[in-house]
């Protein structure tokens, strides 16, 4: 997951929006760490679950400054809607409350937005984006789970991930071929 993140980071440009989805433990944060490494971010890339968004600084492959805004949208889009308010309006209101609405609508020339759990926001976000869907099938083989003290099975970080890259918009459709060709 980290190596794939590094490869995709080499394709990034200012204004890009990446939506990252997958179940808990699928490798979203590891992928984000690869993006950070590929953008030469010096700070640790950790899940922004409790802060919702973190701003990190690095540089693009060509050496120009890059700002990575790493968002965890897991807690956004709750069930409390105003009468007549749809889910997209609710999400936009929440993004505005944390100051991300303008950055998403018009990202600056050196900003990349990486949003975990962003699939519920696809309709409200940029017309051009790369959606990264990580699937982590539950292991069926014996020993694929570890046993906890109470005898319950616990997921491990082991196992194969399947990643589906969905380019939305012409620029991403052209660039994504370079990731596939590099395999």
């Amino acid at each position: 997951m980290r190596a794939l993140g590094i490869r995709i980071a080499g394709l990034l440009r200012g204004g890009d929006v990446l939506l990252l989805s997958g179940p808990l433990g699928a490798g979203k944060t590891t992928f984000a760490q690869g993006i950070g490494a590929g953008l030469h971010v010096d700070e640790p890339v950790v899940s922004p679950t409790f802060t919702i968004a973190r701003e990190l600084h690095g540089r693009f492959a060509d050496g120009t400054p890059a700002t990575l805004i790493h968002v965890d949208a897991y807690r956004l889009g709750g069930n409390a809607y105003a009468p007549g308010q749809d889910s997209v309006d609710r999400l936009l209101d929440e993004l505005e409350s944390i100051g991300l609405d303008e950055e998403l609508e018009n990202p600056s020339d050196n900003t990349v937005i990486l949003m975990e759990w962003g699939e519920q926001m696809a309709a409200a976000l940029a017309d051009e984006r790369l959606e990264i869907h990580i699937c982590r099938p539950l292991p069926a083989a014996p020993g694929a789970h570890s046993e906890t003290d109470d005898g319950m099975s616990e997921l491990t970080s082991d196992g194969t991930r399947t990643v589906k890259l969905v380019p939305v918009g012409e620029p991403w459709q052209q660039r994504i071929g370079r990731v596939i060709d590099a395999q």
Side-chain angles (χ1 to χ4, degrees), residues 32-159:
Q33 290 168 344
I35 293 286
L39 289 177
H40 310 284
V41 170
D42 292 332
E43 305 162 67
V45 177
V46 297
S47 180
T49 300
F50 298 105
T51 58
I52 299 179
R54 295 187 69 222
E55 186 173 303
L56 306 160
H57 301 281
R59 60 189 183 287
F60 291 105
D62 67 1
T64 59
T67 299
L68 174 63
I69 299 178
H70 184 196
V71 181
D72 186 325
Y74 185 76
R75 294 183 296 152
L76 298 179
N79 296 328
Y81 294 95
Q85 185 180 36
D86 67 20
S87 59
V88 171
D89 287 340
R90 169 68 183 190
L91 291 169
L92 289 173
D93 286 348
E94 290 187 49
L95 290 171
E96 182 178 15
S97 73
I98 60 173
L100 283 176
D101 61 322
E102 290 179 23
E103 198 64 56
L104 287 168
E105 288 175 10
N106 190 19
S108 69
D109 290 341
N110 68 338
T111 299
V112 171
I113 299 188
L114 172 61
M115 184 174 292
E116 294 186 35
W117 300 99
E119 62 273 13
Q120 77 273 26
M121 298 187 178
L125 294 174
D127 293 336
E128 296 173 356
R129 62 187 177 272
L130 179 62
E131 297 178 9
I132 301 117
H133 305 279
I134 304 169
C135 180
R136 178 182 182 206
L138 291 176
H145 283 71
S146 64
E147 294 290 321
T148 61
D149 291 340
D150 60 5
M152 300 295 291
S153 292
E154 176 181 284
L155 284 175
T156 69
S157 61
D158 299 333

